[in-house]
Amino acid sequence: MRSRRLATTAVATVSALAVLAVPGHAAGTPKAEAQPISWGACEDVPQQATGLECGTLTVPLDHDKPGGDTVGLPLIRAKATGDKAGSLLMHLGGTGAHRAAFAQSHSAYAALRTRYDLIAYDQRGSGGDTQVKCGSDRDIDRRYSLTAGLKRAAEHARFFQEVARYTSACAKNSGRVLPHLGTAENARDLEQLRKALGEEKLNYYGVSFGSAVGGVYATLFPQRVGRMVMDAALDPRQTPTDVARNTTAEMQRTYEKFLAGCVKDGCDLGKTAKAADKTVQGLVRKLKHSPLKVGNRTLTPALAVNALVLSSASQLWGEVEAALALALKGDGAAMLQLADAITGRDTAGVYGPGGAAGAMAGDGTYCRDRVRETRRGVVRADAELTRISPLFGPLAVFSGVSNSVIAACALWPVPDNPEGRTVNHTGATPIVVLNSTGDRAAPPPGAAALAKQLKTAVRVTYQGSLHGAYPGGGPCVVNAVEGYLLGGTLPADGGTCPSVE
């Protein structure tokens, strides 16, 4: 039970990487015919999927060549429980496998299910035959253990050599799919899914990265926009460094809350938050020179930092504190178990659909979409982020800390595609944009920027810190979202909802 809770919390926490020339999408590109979907029992979703159905959407690998190779995108569906009004496509955030997250959380959206079939999918790069693979499980083990940071000039060459080794492995193992990842391709997949479902318009609820996908869809297919809500809205023009700046600050903030909570309850790490932080920092430094053996594995500083990512989950604070206390006594097993929960590694050494697989899918998508840093820019980003957080800021070759995407994108083997970061909605249909004032991972300026690019946006602000204000943001948020998606009633533009946290 403990390992299941740990894995579930880790999935929610990581909520997450030869140059091939890629042509842009021509204006006169032939349209692919949508393939029918055959629905059946869910056999490969790890979470409880009772009452859910799974299927596969067949789409062109290259949407510019609809008659060419095809790929399958795994789907999951919760059928409407009442008078069905249509289908609602749900993107619950991140660039990883969404079916597992949907199977775990679909009950929270029971109200929406009264009128809609709720459908989620594993987007390109994260599942099915498009999953990005960048080497063996043993290769991933080694990458996760590499020490982070570019503080010394002597470390630069080795760091970039390791990054190049990683990105070359991605090209070698997934070169067929890398040119066809990215937000624009995901938006075109949504259009194929709309057609396959026989829907006149796309009804959509997207969280975090899902808001960027929805925004690009509205740009490419303005006449097909139905009722859409963008929650924890992001500006798709953000660079990997912009994103890392936000997430690093958030991890540091929640880590400091963990230290304060530890001290308040009587902490084995120190009598004050400052003393406890000094203890944790000292452990990480010590591991650099004296890593802890755990069976045939080793707890390194990088793996310890991955474990500490779970300090952002308050329900796991006791376990994080206990694991740190054991590591200070020379027993690194519990810390390694926490790190494995973040990286998605099972006891057999196999990496599942979250964690590492999600990170590789994320690199494939973000690096396809975003403006990239130069090598010099990577070094500057390392210095800036380390100032924000000495623990979580130093750049890693590969990590559960999302900043590793900065270096990966700098050496990514496929050119970037501006289409994936361009939102310019020219349709007339209103789109609800929702954000939380205290959401460090999706701060308010991102929602404001996306709303401006959408042009028809109706903004609602939740005065709390939830990353994804619906449905946990209380009656005001629930009424705004469900009023529009279920009844077509728009909330007041510029409206605010009080915090219920």
Side-chain angles (χ1 to χ4, degrees):
M1 180 62 71
R2 176 183 180 275
S3 61
R4 181 184 300 173
R5 180 170 71 94
L6 196 59
T8 298
T9 306
V11 168
T13 302
V14 172
S15 279
L17 303 184
V19 174
L20 306 172
V22 185
H25 285 269
T29 299
K31 296 180 180 179
E33 294 297 323
Q35 301 296 313
I37 301 166
S38 178
W39 297 96
C42 295
E43 298 178 350
D44 59 345
V45 177
Q47 280 82 13
Q48 178 58 254
T50 302
L52 305 181
E53 297 177 323
C54 290
T56 300
L57 175 70
T58 301
V59 297
L61 172 64
D62 183 347
H63 282 284
D64 279 338
K65 298 177 181 178
D69 291 347
T70 61
V71 292
L73 303 181
L75 309 172
I76 191 167
R77 174 172 73 173
K79 295 187 73 173
T81 56
D83 186 14
K84 180 182 171 182
S87 299
L88 180 70
L89 279 296
M90 304 189 74
H91 190 306
L92 300 180
T95 55
H98 297 134
R99 290 186 310 147
F102 180 85
Q104 175 186 322
S105 64
H106 73 278
S107 60
Y109 306 103
L112 300 178
R113 193 177 174 186
T114 61
R115 297 298 310 281
Y116 292 108
D117 287 350
L118 306 184
I119 298 173
Y121 71 106
D122 288 351
Q123 66 182 47
R124 286 177 180 241
S126 67
D129 47 11
T130 68
Q131 185 168 333
V132 175
K133 298 176 182 178
C134 302
S136 67
D137 290 325
R138 186 170 295 180
D139 293 330
I140 297 172
D141 271 346
R142 193 184 70 81
R143 289 183 199 125
Y144 270 129
S145 293
L146 295 173
T147 300
L150 289 162
K151 187 175 182 179
R152 298 176 180 82
E155 299 169 334
H156 296 184
R158 180 177 178 273
F159 177 84
F160 285 112
Q161 183 180 38
E162 290 291 353
V163 174
R165 186 174 177 179
Y166 163 59
T167 57
S168 295
C170 296
K172 178 181 178 180
N173 292 279
S174 298
R176 172 175 174 263
V177 300
L178 291 188
H180 308 295
L181 301 180
T183 302
E185 300 300 330
N186 274 291
R188 289 185 169 88
D189 290 339
L190 282 179
E191 175 63 1
Q192 290 297 302
L193 182 51
R194 180 197 65 78
K195 293 181 190 177
L197 295 169
E199 301 287 353
E200 181 67 21
K201 304 279 188 178
L202 181 78
N203 299 312
Y204 181 81
Y205 171 73
V207 183
S208 194
F209 182 73
S211 69
V213 176
V216 173
Y217 178 91
T219 300
L220 296 176
F221 306 102
Q223 303 310 313
R224 295 298 181 182
V225 172
R227 296 175 186 174
M228 301 182 79
V229 174
M230 313 301 193
D231 197 352
L234 299 173
D235 182 355
R237 298 170 302 184
Q238 286 185 314
T239 67
T241 302
D242 292 332
V243 174
R245 191 179 293 117
N246 293 334
T247 56
T248 301
E250 173 63 8
M251 284 188 287
Q252 180 63 24
R253 183 183 73 87
T254 55
Y255 166 70
E256 290 172 0
K257 286 182 66 176
F258 157 70
L259 295 177
C262 184
V263 169
K264 180 180 178 182
D265 294 337
C267 190
D268 289 337
L269 307 176
K271 293 184 178 180
T272 66
K274 184 176 181 180
D277 177 53
K278 185 176 180 180
T279 299
V280 174
Q281 300 267 11
L283 172 64
V284 173
R285 284 194 299 272
K286 182 178 179 181
L287 289 173
K288 185 173 183 179
H289 305 289
S290 303
L292 295 177
K293 294 292 291 182
V294 180
N296 61 354
R297 299 177 65 196
T298 304
L299 178 66
T300 65
L303 287 171
V305 171
N306 274 284
L308 288 168
V309 171
L310 286 174
S311 65
S312 63
S314 58
Q315 65 269 40
L316 294 179
W317 283 357
E319 293 179 54
V320 174
E321 180 191 353
L324 284 166
L326 287 170
L328 288 165
K329 297 175 182 177
D331 181 356
M335 284 292 284
L336 205 54
Q337 185 181 10
L338 295 178
D340 288 348
I342 283 292
T343 64
R345 187 187 193 274
D346 66 19
T347 55
V350 176
Y351 288 89
M360 290 183 283
D363 288 351
T365 299
Y366 267 103
C367 297
R368 186 78 173 99
D369 291 341
R370 308 301 171 106
V371 174
R372 305 167 184 180
E373 297 284 5
T374 62
R375 292 192 182 209
R376 187 171 295 178
V378 171
V379 175
R380 286 196 298 267
D382 174 77
E384 178 189 357
L385 296 174
T386 300
R387 286 193 295 271
I388 294 172
S389 173
L391 268 180
F392 303 112
L395 296 192
V397 174
F398 197 71
S399 176
V401 180
S402 60
N403 66 23
S404 61
V405 71
I406 296 172
C409 289
L411 301 185
W412 200 246
V414 175
D416 70 298
N417 177 16
E419 193 176 39
R421 57 179 180 265
T422 302
V423 172
N424 181 27
H425 176 46
T426 58
T429 306
I431 297 172
V432 174
V433 174
L434 175 62
N435 71 284
S436 299
T437 54
D439 184 352
R440 300 292 184 91
L450 180 63
K452 184 176 181 180
Q453 294 161 52
L454 288 170
K455 296 183 175 64
T456 61
V458 173
R459 285 198 65 191
V460 177
T461 301
Y462 169 66
Q463 296 173 321
S465 60
L466 295 177
H467 184 60
Y470 176 79
C476 177
V477 170
V478 168
N479 290 339
V481 173
E482 294 177 4
Y484 185 51
L485 291 179
L486 297 177
T489 302
L490 279 168
D493 186 23
T496 58
C497 289
S499 174
V500 297
E501 299 166 54

